[in-house]
Amino acid sequence: MSYVQFPDERSLDFVAIGRLCIDLNANEIHRPMEETMTFTKYVGGSPANITIGMSRLGLKTSFIGKIADDQMGRFIHSYLQRNNIDTSNVVTDHTGAVTGLAFTEIKSPTDCSILMYRDNAADLKLTPEEVQEELIARTKVLLISGTALAESPSREAVFQALYYAKKHGAVIVFDLDYRPYTWKSAEETSAYYNLAAEKCDMILGTREEFDMMERFEQNPEHSDQVTAAKWFDYSAKIVIIKHGKDGSIAYTRDGTGHKAKSYPAKVVKTFGAGDSYAAGFLYGVMQGWTLEKSMEFGSAAACIVISSHSCSDAMPTADQVNDYITRCERGEITAS
Ligand SMILES: Nc1ncnc2c1ncn2[C@@H]1O[C@H](COP(=O)(O)OP(=O)(O)O)[C@@H](O)[C@H]1O
Ligand SMILES: O=C(O)C[C@@H](O)[C@H](O)C(=O)COP(=O)(O)O
């Protein structure tokens, strides 16, 4: 059964709008950041990672974003192009804004954190006028990510993109991607998240991210079902609540909760799970697979990324995901 109808006859499968950044992942793992001396540079930013994932899976992708006019910005631009991602709506900032940096600390496979440098970040300077309607008119899916709502003018750029996506019938996906340090107050955060979520066909987030939107008022029990039900009064057809290594649950409008198994992984670090899960899941749904099969594919993609050092570079191809699932089924992979 298909819960979401994708428009056909579009030249692009997937467009994301938002953050293009740099991840600097600790080389010396199992130690705190204070004692980490060297880092490896990768393209990062949650929506960028998801787009790279979709491209590796063989979909036609494009990105709407803003990069700094510096070496890091040029590195990001050329990485996207090498990964077959259309960059015609990746705009260069000329105000002196800089590339956002995410330093990662890998203390243990379960204790990881991210230190973000995001003052005057170029990605938040994207303006509504810079969003190309023609590009959104050509895509089956538009993905927005919550961090781009944190500041103007990027906030208005996202709402402009949402308007175009609605106008042209693209399926809209919201990855909540909540990064507290980007926001000024709980009230502001919740207000903009809720305003955007009303317009989206699929919403993906962790339990903690939905708690932030609900501000504990509407759902004191933190019930996934209550969380999902609210959005079916608006545009949502699928709401997914992610629970780390305990897997995820997808609710559909008929009130059914779809669960899928997650796979074991030899975890190097926890971050990147959500981005690879999103890419794998959306790929599956776009192939017309069941929600369960799509979720399993997303879970296996997540395992591959959390078993690797990077997020973007480690995004798997479909063959790699299928091979991982086969190896798990044969008992060749066990949890760390
Ligand atoms: N330690 C783990 N082992 C196996 N799978 C995991 C693990 N952590 C996450 N996953 C998979 O990745 C998905 C998304 O992870 P989660 O941590 O909930 O998202 P986020 O990275 O956005 O916080 C989970 O639903 C699960 O399928
Ligand atoms: O999103 C960022 O700016 C940083 C990412 O590139 C980073 O690696 C990460 O945190 C991935 O997020 P997750 O998939 O939600 O764990």
Side-chain angles (χ1 to χ4, degrees):
M1 169 163 187
S2 161
Y3 293 96
V4 180
Q5 215 56 50
F6 294 95
D8 23 65
E9 312 285 332
R10 303 267 167 123
S11 56
L12 289 166
D13 295 307
F14 180 88
V15 173
I17 181 167
R19 193 154 88 261
L20 291 161
C21 292
I22 297 287
D23 281 353
L24 290 158
N25 288 0
N27 291 335
E28 299 93 28
I29 61 174
H30 304 157
R31 66 176 72 172
M33 180 86 71
E34 289 84 342
E35 293 164 26
T36 306
M37 302 309 289
T38 66
F39 299 83
T40 299
K41 179 180 79 173
Y42 302 102
V43 168
S46 174
N49 292 338
I50 298 173
T51 309
I52 292 161
M54 294 300 260
S55 186
R56 292 267 166 87
L57 291 167
L59 299 188
K60 293 193 203 82
T61 60
S62 182
F63 201 91
I64 304 171
K66 194 167 231 180
I67 48 174
D69 187 12
D70 62 14
Q71 294 90 328
M72 295 297 195
R74 289 189 282 280
F75 166 70
I76 293 168
H77 191 262
S78 74
Y79 186 89
L80 295 184
Q81 290 197 321
R82 274 187 280 125
N83 278 274
N84 300 319
I85 297 165
D86 169 66
T87 55
S88 55
N89 207 169
V90 174
V91 185
T92 301
D93 169 81
H94 294 293
T95 68
V98 295
T99 304
L101 305 176
F103 289 89
T104 62
E105 178 179 55
I106 308 174
K107 285 200 209 162
S108 79
T110 52
D111 187 4
C112 301
S113 66
I114 299 181
L115 180 62
M116 284 204 173
Y117 283 47
R118 291 194 48 74
D119 280 351
N120 199 25
D123 58 275
L124 290 171
K125 311 273 180 206
L126 184 73
T127 67
E129 302 75 38
E130 288 166 334
V131 175
Q132 293 171 11
E133 177 172 1
E134 170 278 329
L135 187 86
I136 295 177
R138 289 198 286 121
T139 187
K140 293 180 182 172
V141 173
L142 173 77
L143 177 132
I144 66 164
S145 120
T147 302
L149 296 169
E151 262 179 38
S152 297
S154 157
R155 174 182 289 164
E156 289 76 14
V158 173
F159 280 101
Q160 186 68 53
L162 286 172
Y163 168 74
Y164 290 146
K166 282 269 183 223
K167 179 174 167 188
H168 296 286
V171 169
I172 305 172
V173 180
F174 190 5
D175 187 310
L176 300 184
D177 178 38
Y178 172 54
R179 312 279 170 172
Y181 29 77
T182 328
W183 289 87
K184 291 185 186 70
S185 77
E187 290 76 8
E188 183 194 41
T189 314
S190 164
Y192 283 105
Y193 264 94
N194 281 287
L195 206 53
E198 288 173 8
K199 304 177 194 330
C200 299
D201 301 291
M202 291 191 225
I203 308 173
L204 287 90
T206 62
R207 181 65 259 161
E208 296 73 24
E209 288 172 330
F210 281 106
D211 285 344
M212 168 281 295
M213 286 170 79
E214 292 164 353
R215 303 195 55 219
F216 306 104
E217 281 160 18
Q218 306 138 14
N219 187 3
E221 307 294 325
H222 309 278
S223 151
D224 289 345
Q225 190 155 23
V226 170
T227 291
K230 169 179 173 172
W231 300 109
F232 298 133
D233 291 339
Y234 297 94
S235 305
K237 282 102 191 162
I238 302 173
V239 177
I240 297 199
I241 298 112
K242 300 177 287 177
H243 290 274
K245 66 173 169 25
D246 298 327
S248 53
I249 182 155
Y251 282 94
T252 45
R253 281 191 162 212
D254 54 12
T256 314
H258 305 254
K259 273 205 156 198
K261 63 170 180 268
S262 46
Y263 293 96
K266 295 258 179 272
V267 183
V268 173
K269 43 88 177 125
T270 52
F271 42 84
D275 298 342
S276 40
Y277 175 89
F281 170 76
L282 292 172
Y283 171 79
V285 173
M286 292 186 78
Q287 305 308 301
W289 298 349
T290 63
L291 287 188
E292 286 78 5
K293 184 174 174 192
S294 306
M295 291 163 80
E296 281 175 22
F297 194 82
S299 304
C303 287
I304 293 173
V305 168
I306 59 181
S307 312
S308 318
H309 191 252
S310 74
C311 295
S312 53
D313 248 12
M315 287 289 171
T317 62
D319 283 348
Q320 286 172 316
V321 180
N322 288 323
D323 180 56
Y324 193 89
I325 292 173
T326 306
R327 285 168 56 215
C328 288
E329 283 166 357
R330 286 196 198 126
E332 291 169 15
I333 300 176
T334 50
S336 45

